[in-house]
Amino acid sequence: MPDERPSPEGPATFREVFANREYGAVFTASALSWIGDYIAKAAVTLLVYEETRSVALSAAAFAVSYLPWLVGGPLLATLAERHRYRQVMVICDLVRMLLMVCIAIPGMPVAMILALLFATTLANPPSQAAKSALIPLILTGDRLVVGLSMISSVGQAAQVVGYLAGAAIAAFDPTAALLVNAATFALSAALVRFGVTDRPTAMTAAHRSHLLRETAQGFQIVFGTPVLRAIAVLVFAAMLFSVVPEGLAAAWASEHAGRLDAGAAQAIIMAANPVGFILGGLIVSRAFGPDRRLSLMRPLAVLSPLALVPALLDPPPLVVALLAAACGFAVAGMLPVANGLFVRALPDGFRARAFGVMATGVQVIQGLAVLVTGLLAERFSIPVVVGVWSAVGVLLMTLAALHWPSRSTIDAAIEAAQQPGASAPRQAGPGTPGRHGEESAGGPAGRWAVAPARRDGSGTR
């Protein structure tokens, strides 16, 4: 069995990662479907606004894509554990392709558009969970960390490219943009079907219990194990602060644009974090070896909110953008390492469920962060809100860094998860869980020894 722990060897190269045919197929499929998704978001938002002239309904069309994670992300992700990962990804892509074609039918009522869009996004959690669980089966060791970094970076780039292309295509013909998205799903399904090996299910029928119970085991395994809980706290805290400049960009630009046009100021602030994220993921993963990246995790975690504290000084938009980019750089520098540790410390039969927990947590935390800071900005100036909010983040991240598990604890958790038939370690109580967390004596399947979604929920998206 290959040693998947971080090693003192040099970092894996991009060439080594992309030499893996299966990873190349998943990477390309992900990039295509993400770009198509963002094109469709821009198109649907414009389409609904043109049909209704309602800003609220237009915003609802944009926000509906987040609802599946909030109302049932972990439950839907658990479904991926019950079936072959390749099969889940292909079926989800084909379903989304067909629904996008339906949305593109001329004259479709707005209520039906929103309903179909919601149905389309119901496929996101199982598809992304299957992808998250599949990648550690394709890549091992430091190749996994570099591969996760590349997927995170392309997700950020897809967001920028997709929104720009979507706005341009939708201005000409929103229906064409929706059909482009349907085509990307068809290509994604083909790439996965013919480029990825069909592996058996992680959870066989004999190991299934009740879907709700299996979902609960995902929460138990994330929050019941010190190493995984520490990673979850670090990731959730990073999301709590890094999203704020982007979420408040419109109001920030309107009130503090200075010499810039308000629209240009908003665009600069919103694009800064993704750009910083892309640079951080590429540079840190390539410039430093595995051991150095692991040692940089805690300093980068503290730096991510610290970079935004100077917002207290009410800088101009260009400086705000630089601060947001620095924050994104720091988050991207530590997130792939956290991802790699998370998936290596997970027994194979729990990866999709754990991804559902992490992705849902990221969605909820980012939404709450923007909501709370937005409410605070109604009473206080935005620079003060962002600066103080980030200062609190420095304190939180410092506490998380101080309580970070020791290297020996991390290595022990990874080694335990890689043992044949590994399962979640027991909680105190009757019964001994067997493989895949089933019980041998009636007690609860307990704690365990990510690849979390990227900052807007996608993940190893």
Side-chain angles (χ1 to χ4, degrees):
M1 176 180 295
D3 184 3
E4 298 184 3
R5 292 172 294 176
S7 71
E9 300 175 0
T13 65
F14 297 142
R15 177 177 296 180
E16 290 172 343
V17 171
F18 283 104
N20 186 303
R21 179 181 61 86
E22 289 186 277
Y23 177 79
V26 173
F27 178 89
T28 306
S30 298
L32 284 171
S33 60
W34 287 334
I35 291 173
D37 265 350
Y38 289 120
I39 289 174
K41 277 188 178 183
V44 169
T45 302
L46 179 60
L47 182 64
V48 171
Y49 182 74
E50 288 182 344
E51 291 288 332
T52 65
R53 294 297 168 180
S54 168
V55 177
L57 286 175
S58 179
F62 182 88
V64 73
S65 63
Y66 294 96
L67 286 179
W69 288 109
L70 303 181
V71 301
L75 189 69
L76 292 168
T78 299
L79 289 173
E81 211 89 79
R82 292 183 163 200
H83 303 280
R84 300 192 304 276
Y85 295 142
R86 189 185 75 174
Q87 178 188 43
V88 171
M89 294 169 67
V90 171
I91 290 176
C92 287
D93 276 345
L94 293 177
V95 168
R96 290 183 289 190
M97 177 196 71
L98 292 174
L99 291 173
M100 273 294 155
V101 171
C102 292
I103 295 173
I105 296 175
M108 183 70 64
V110 170
M112 184 60 70
I113 290 176
L114 294 178
L116 289 172
L117 189 61
F118 178 75
T120 302
T121 57
L122 284 175
N124 290 349
S127 175
Q128 293 176 19
K131 186 194 312 181
S132 175
L134 175 65
I135 291 175
L137 303 178
I138 295 174
L139 299 175
T140 59
D142 194 49
R143 290 184 178 90
L144 173 61
V145 177
V146 175
L148 291 173
S149 176
M150 291 299 299
I151 285 183
S152 295
S153 296
V154 78
Q156 299 293 323
Q159 183 176 10
V160 176
V161 172
Y163 280 152
L164 292 175
I169 297 173
F172 171 71
D173 185 359
T175 299
L178 296 173
L179 293 177
V180 167
N181 191 28
T184 63
F185 282 130
L187 289 172
S188 175
L191 284 166
V192 173
R193 171 61 181 82
F194 298 106
V196 174
T197 301
D198 192 21
R199 294 171 173 83
T201 59
M203 181 192 299
T204 64
H207 297 128
R208 295 180 186 175
S209 56
H210 189 280
L211 188 61
L212 289 175
R213 184 175 182 179
E214 293 167 11
T215 303
Q217 289 171 353
F219 284 91
Q220 291 172 353
I221 205 166
V222 171
F223 297 109
T225 303
V227 169
L228 297 172
R229 184 172 60 242
I231 296 171
V233 168
L234 206 66
V235 170
F236 289 159
M239 299 303 104
L240 189 62
F241 302 98
S242 63
V243 73
V244 170
E246 191 173 343
L248 301 182
W252 204 339
S254 297
E255 297 177 11
H256 304 270
R259 297 181 179 179
L260 289 177
D261 173 74
Q266 177 184 351
I268 290 170
I269 295 172
M270 291 191 74
N273 193 282
V275 170
F277 194 99
I278 293 169
L279 293 175
L282 295 177
I283 292 174
V284 174
S285 65
R286 190 64 191 94
F288 300 104
D291 272 351
R292 179 59 61 86
R293 289 200 300 267
L294 186 61
S295 65
L296 286 174
M297 270 189 67
R298 287 183 287 178
L300 288 172
V302 176
L303 178 61
S304 58
L306 182 62
L308 297 174
V309 173
L312 279 167
L313 302 176
D314 192 12
L318 288 176
V319 176
V320 172
L322 289 175
L323 299 179
C327 176
F329 186 100
V331 171
M334 67 94 175
L335 198 58
V337 183
N339 273 356
L341 291 177
F342 192 86
V343 296
R344 290 197 296 268
L346 276 170
D348 179 47
F350 293 91
R351 282 174 176 157
R353 282 176 279 179
F355 171 84
V357 172
M358 293 296 293
T360 301
V362 167
Q363 295 280 3
V364 172
I365 284 173
Q366 288 188 126
L368 286 176
V370 174
L371 177 62
V372 172
T373 52
L375 291 173
L376 290 172
E378 292 288 331
R379 299 191 59 184
F380 307 98
S381 72
I382 292 177
V384 169
V385 169
V386 175
V388 173
W389 183 265
S390 302
V392 173
V394 174
L395 177 61
L396 177 61
M397 280 298 203
T398 301
L399 291 174
L402 291 175
H403 289 84
W404 184 251
S406 67
R407 178 64 179 271
S408 61
T409 301
I410 293 173
D411 286 349
I414 293 173
E415 184 175 354
Q418 293 173 3
Q419 295 302 314
S423 64
R426 290 177 296 172
Q427 284 181 320
T432 302
R435 188 174 183 268
H436 298 300
E438 76 275 17
E439 297 171 30
S440 61
R447 57 189 179 83
W448 48 326
V450 341
R454 49 174 275 272
R455 55 179 189 80
D456 69 344
S458 75
T460 53
R461 254 184 106 154

